[in-house]
Amino acid sequence: MSVPCADNATASKGDLAPMDPRGYQLEMLAESMSKNIIIAVGNLYPLPYFQSQTSHTADGHRKRQNTYVREPDDRSGVPSLWVAKTEVDRALLRIGAELDRCSPEKLVWFLCPTVVLAQQQYDYFGRHLHCVQIRLLTGNDGVDRWGKKQIWDDVLKDIKLVVSTYQILLDALVHGFVGIRRLALLIHDECHNCTKESSANRIMQEFYHPKHGLVDEVPHILGLSASPIMNSKQGGLEKIEQNMHALSRTPKLHREELLLYVHLPEMAILKYPEPVSDLEKPPLLKGLLRIYSDLDIRADPYVVKLRAAGHGDDFKQMREALMTRKTYCQDQIKSLCVMAVNVYEELGPWAAELYIYICLQNFQSRRMPSVVNFEGLDEDERAYLLRAIAPLFEFKIDDQSSPEDSELSPKVRVLLDCLHAESGPGFAGLVFVQTRASVRLLAQLVSIHSRTKDRLIVGTFVGTSNHAKRKSSIAEVHNVLDQGETLDDLRYGRKNLIIATSVLEEGIDVSATNTVICFEKPSNLKSFIQRRGRARSAKSKYIIMFREDYQKNILHTWEQLEDHMKQMYMDDMRRLEEIRQQEDEESGKIFKIESTGAQMSLKDAVRHLNHWCSVLPNTQYADLRPVYTLEYHTDGTHIRARVLLPKSVDKTVRETLGGSWWKSEKFAKRDAAFEAYIALYHAGLVNEHLLPLIATDEAALKAYSDIEKRPNVVKVRETLSPWPEVAAAWHAGPTRFQSTIQFSIGQSVVPMRMISPSALPNLKRLTLYPETDSVIHVDFDPVTRIEYTGDIKVSDTITMLLLFSIYRSRMSNDRRGFPVLFEPFIDITEREKWLAGATGTRPASTLLVNSPTCMQSGIVRDLSMNGVPYIFSGVKYRPVEIDGAQAERLAESDMELAPFLAVSKLSKRTDFLHPVVNNEDPKKARVPMYLAPDTCTVDNLPYTNSQCAMYIPCIMHHVEVALITKYLCDNLLSPVHFENHHLVTTAITTSSAREAYDYQSLEFMGDSCLKVYATINLMAMHPNWHEGYLTLKKGYMVSNGRLALTAQQTGLDQYIITKAFTGYKWKPLYNEDLLQSQPANNREMSTKILADVVEALLGAAFVDGGYPKVLACLSIFLPEVPWRSLSDCREVLHKLAIPNEYSLFPHHYSHLEVLINHRFNTKSLLLEALTHPSHLGPDDTPSYQRLEFMGDALLDIIITTRVFQHRSSLKPLRMHLLRTALVNANFLAFVGMRHCISIARTSLPAKDPGTVPSASESFVNHPIWHFMRHGHSADLIKAQASCHTRFVELEPAISEALVNGDSYPWTLLATLAPEKFFSDIIESIIAAIYIDSAGSLAACETFLTALGVLPYVDRALDSGIAMLHPKEELGIVAGNETVKYEVVVIDGKDEQEVKPGYKCKVSIGQHEVAVVFGARTRIEAETRAAEEAVKSIKQHMGELATRTEDQGLEQAEAPDEDYRPDDDNEGEEEYFDAVDVVNEMEV
């Protein structure tokens, strides 16, 4: 089934919001850091118990008394912190805090009462503490064979956390293998077991208490218990506190809130009739009992062995065995009989026969179901037992058919009736039974019985032995290996009923159930409490089965307790309501802003604070709600609250204490929120309207509006003309300036002099393109100042003569007064003589006499054709080839044998700045022609000078651009002090100008410079701003709308060159015209071009003088920002780094320093870079979000600089594609997941009894994300594990593509789809390194090199790897057709659609091209679909018909076929916008 994609639906308003447990966590953590405590948070509804408290008598002595109190409850709607699992949650925070502060040689030891619980806690810690080496030790590991301290030292080498049963640690302490002083923290799970001669109590009494008081000799103690009571006697808690040397603490906070989530389970008694005692036993049971009674003990292998030995002691042991019938074989048959009879009495004949049958089959096939096999049973004993029970194998049992009611005990029939009645939609049940055999048999029965098989899916759970040498029993039927997924199956709804022994009463994490049934009555009050605590769901039931003749006094005691608890609950609710009605003390507390009139009362405070937190940067897996903790006054009746804001908030305002004491939690929280919001206002994080900055930052909102809704074009000033100022300079005085121009024409160099009234800028070499296969280089000598003594009119006339020889149709020969003068490079005194000889024309017949070269000759003009100009090439007497028109003319003149002028047409081409387009080849004008001399004249001006004059318009344009650049550098950009003016020329030239250069490459560099400067300056300017405010402000500062506006405000727009030089429109400029006032003209220009030119100038400043000149340039265009140098900003940020809280840096993070190849001087920077916003802990380390914000810009500038400065000249689009791919979050996450450090880990010694125990060393790989500090969100842990699974699957293919592939693995990375935090920590580490290393980008590059980022950058640059995203490539392949993506979500319920996830269909025009299924994300689906579509089209059309990436680049950069010189060609700039969209999409 498929549904359209939509946002997640929100919960209905009537739903109870989940309770926030973090306040309780932090309260308990803070207290446990300062003293030994027992955290007692019941997993029941309110239950009374005795809490020991200390008070003082009148004479000052301390008095200890027991107070009757109750525990908080745990119910559905209360997060998992409040259930049994949360005991390990509490420990997890405490373990992390201890590992952060303890010395490297110490470790934390977590003790559990059972192997099952130890295994579960070990697995849980392993999922949360990736970078901590953890060791699980149980009896199954053969620990009893580790007889040397060296083995223990090897096993515990570099281990920071050990999880074991109590007995393991006790034995290690007893034998001196582990010293108590080595432990930094000792955690007792289910610490109510620390009594009498228990292993837990022996550890404390024999090893802790004797050394208590000695410095650093004993560990801190943390006890965990759902309820620290074993019975209802007073003094029990005080004794446990003494044994544990700890005080019991229950959460003081949120009791009022907790009451709203309490669900009182209904307690019910389920009665069953007494079984009939005279029923006949089933045949198989009778046969077993008969075999046992007839068993000949004299043939027992043990007795036979003793008799054969013949020694005195052996005879003594033999007689004892014969008298007591105590041998292993006898015990096996006896235990089978005893259990079979018990099953028969409890469950009925069917269960008894099935039990015996299963036991016999297991024994015969050696399939022993317990954790060990029959390794201790020799063959003689096995043969003896097989002979004894051989008759029983004749019985055949059908274990899959539903038994008749007569085959079941009355008790089982009542249980089945109850399960049938209670089960239904949403049912989740738990049945407690006494024996492991009953677990197996009842599970089998429920799964096949006609009344339950279609309603219940059953799982089983029993305890496991922790004794490695225990022999298995023939009476064992339950295989613990089958229960590995039972709890997860219940949690995720794959099963709805668990049948278990008492092992599930405490400690082990069991999801909330709504029905708990005790098949046998609980053995004591503790068992009653623990079992009842498993019924946590709303409207749950707690059912206890009793025989009809049960002892009513036992139940009466429990019922009294039940009534008392209900009464206490009702009293609490009444008290809460009375307080709420009576306490109205908030009326006089108001905070008011005089300037706006905005105000806030206590009633508004919590809502205001919640709203402020809700607009913080949304981070997945982090709870942004404020956290409240409570403390009680010494009078015991008043409360004060403390509020803690998320870790993304600055530490100076993150924690606020309420100003007053209150009678209720509600008003205490209001007061704390009130004070916190005032603190936010004074810190500048709330505006004058008492709203978050993001809500009313008009400038920022306008900037974003400009980005989204900016006009396509705006009116700007026409390009500045420098010529009026040059024209005016002719009247300023006699000083003149000249520059020698060198024309490199073929093998010749033709000099010319250029004279101007003011100093022209030094001009860069100019390349001209007169023909397809030839170029002319024009070089300009530096401008020199001269005192011009000659007649300037002569130079003016020479200029006119030169121009008139080529452009006579565009000018008059009687006008003078040019802004720049040109003349041949001759002596000034010879100019008039030269002018006289070069002026005018002469008959072409003179060429017949002198026969000059074409360069010496002047231009030949055919008078019969209105003076059409020709280039003279020689004299011919017999023309070999003449066209029809010439032949006709020659015939008419009757001059076939006369000499002719061999000529070629003078090219009409006037634009020599651009290469010749093939269809405009001027060689076509060089077809030889022949003219009669008497119809022609020849200019006296040599063709060499005319040819140079032909290029004067191009030189004037070149000078004009240089003057515009000079004026810009001398005025607006004067503070920058540009040395290379050509960089500025490039920065202000758009692609539509069709120059050999444009701003796009510099804009690419400048964009990154702007980003890094804005980012780091904002970080330093606003040290208390969270990443959300910083992102908003940066978006405003670097927005195209803001940059376009500043380009207009500063007058930059008039310097931007958009129009291409067009020779065919060129006309000479005259000073007379230039000095006349000209009307102000406007032109239209894209706002993106305006913004891009600003960024290009930043890029030019960077190339010209590095970051100092970028800073100067920024101060011009964004003067409202108090810009500081990057080094100054870095100093500010370094001072803000939190000093180390603890004397020692957490030892396991030293491995990370090796991994990232940087040893931190300020360790807190590394901790900050690794702290996810969800992290809870005792330190003030902020989350990594600010550093990630900065690291993103640093990564961008590093990649951009490397691409920009590459030795090959890359096209701008290619550079954009490279950067988009190389800063891609998926790519960054992948290299971070791949980059690992191998940490040595000692393997456990072999358990084989035949080998000498010895530890061996192995290595475990830890990637960077293992070191991330985060909260305990199950979703976050699941996301980590899920992504790691995908990484293991995809890593070979992605690595191969990065190392040897010819294209960027967009689709593979989209399939990996790593969570954002995988890339966030990489960027935050980059920023941390930058700050710590005094602003060294080289240090950041060292880290990126180790990651593999920069090596791939170099490979991509050198190898020409295809970087186009599949969607972009498909757009190129599709041409003018529309590409459409249709994405739907597949739930996998339809048989035809077997792959759940996102489905994407891509169409080109009206044709479906590709369909993909099973994607995890929309981006993955679209990327895969685009890639498949491209492959399909290529296969269908062939490679030759497909446009490649290079073709796409050429298409983007080639001029439009409909190009017009006066139009702005903005196609490529808009294409870059599309590339940016792809980048944002991928991020």
Side-chain angles (χ1 to χ4, degrees), residues 1099-1158:
F1102 174 80
V1103 177
D1104 193 63
Y1107 291 115
K1109 289 196 174 182
V1110 174
L1111 177 61
C1113 201
L1114 282 169
S1115 300
I1116 295 170
F1117 292 111
L1118 296 172
E1120 72 277 11
V1121 179
W1123 297 102
R1124 304 173 69 175
S1125 68
L1126 295 183
S1127 58
D1128 288 348
C1129 293
R1130 178 262 163 197
E1131 287 295 329
V1132 172
L1133 295 173
H1134 189 264
K1135 291 178 181 178
L1136 291 174
I1138 303 173
N1140 289 329
E1141 290 284 326
Y1142 311 119
S1143 58
L1144 294 173
F1145 184 63
H1147 175 68
H1148 47 281
Y1149 284 105
S1150 61
H1151 296 300
L1152 180 60
E1153 291 184 299
V1154 176
L1155 180 60
I1156 65 179
N1157 203 13
H1158 180 81

Side-chain angles (χ1 to χ4, degrees), residues 978 983 986-987 998-1015 1034 1037-1040 1043 1088 1090-1104 1106-1107 1109-1111 1113-1114 1117-1118 1123 1126 1193 1196-1205 1212 1215-1216 1219 1472 1476:
F978 273 101
L983 288 170
T986 303
D998 61 51
Y999 68 67
Q1000 291 169 7
S1001 294
L1002 288 175
E1003 182 272 333
F1004 172 76
M1005 187 70 236
D1007 172 76
S1008 191
C1009 291
L1010 174 60
K1011 180 178 179 179
V1012 75
Y1013 252 96
T1015 297
K1034 188 192 77 172
M1037 291 170 61
V1038 305
S1039 69
N1040 279 1
L1043 297 181
K1088 185 180 187 306
L1090 289 166
D1092 285 352
V1093 170
V1094 175
E1095 293 178 332
L1097 287 170
L1098 293 174
F1102 174 80
V1103 177
D1104 193 63
Y1107 291 115
K1109 289 196 174 182
V1110 174
L1111 177 61
C1113 201
L1114 282 169
F1117 292 111
L1118 296 172
W1123 297 102
L1126 295 183
D1196 190 274
I1197 193 68
I1198 290 171
I1199 298 298
T1200 299
T1201 304
R1202 206 173 188 92
V1203 172
F1204 180 80
Q1205 294 178 344
M1215 291 194 292
H1216 278 271
R1219 182 171 64 184
F1472 291 156
D1476 292 338

Side-chain angles (χ1 to χ4, degrees), residues 817-966:
F818 303 99
V820 177
L821 305 180
F822 297 88
E823 62 185 23
F825 194 79
I826 56 177
D827 189 270
I828 294 178
T829 60
E830 300 292 329
R831 287 182 308 135
E832 293 184 10
K833 180 179 178 182
W834 180 89
L835 177 60
T839 304
T841 63
R842 63 186 186 275
S845 59
T846 58
L847 297 175
L848 303 177
V849 178
N850 299 327
S851 187
T853 64
C854 66
M855 302 304 290
Q856 294 171 339
S857 169
I859 295 176
V860 176
R861 303 183 187 275
D862 186 356
L863 300 179
S864 66
M865 298 295 292
N866 296 321
V868 174
Y870 293 92
I871 302 173
F872 174 74
S873 59
V875 178
K876 290 286 184 177
Y877 286 90
R878 289 183 177 274
V880 179
E881 294 181 1
I882 57 176
D883 59 21
Q886 291 189 73
E888 182 178 349
R889 289 170 55 200
L890 291 176
E892 292 176 355
S893 63
D894 195 23
M895 297 177 60
E896 291 88 344
L897 300 179
F900 297 98
L901 302 180
V903 296
S904 59
K905 279 188 177 181
L906 184 67
S907 174
K908 293 182 179 180
R909 177 173 166 79
T910 56
D911 179 9
F912 302 100
L913 293 176
H914 304 101
V916 178
V917 180
N918 290 334
N919 59 5
E920 297 180 5
D921 189 351
K923 282 188 174 182
K924 295 180 180 180
R926 295 295 180 89
V927 177
M929 301 183 68
Y930 303 94
L931 301 177
D934 59 350
T935 62
C936 300
T937 61
V938 60
D939 291 350
N940 290 328
L941 179 68
Y943 177 70
T944 302
N945 301 116
S946 296
Q947 185 179 25
C948 292
M950 188 183 305
Y951 305 134
I952 287 178
C954 296
I955 294 174
M956 290 290 288
H957 173 75
H958 192 51
V959 172
E960 179 179 350
V961 171
L963 284 172
I964 292 173
T965 301
K966 180 179 182 297

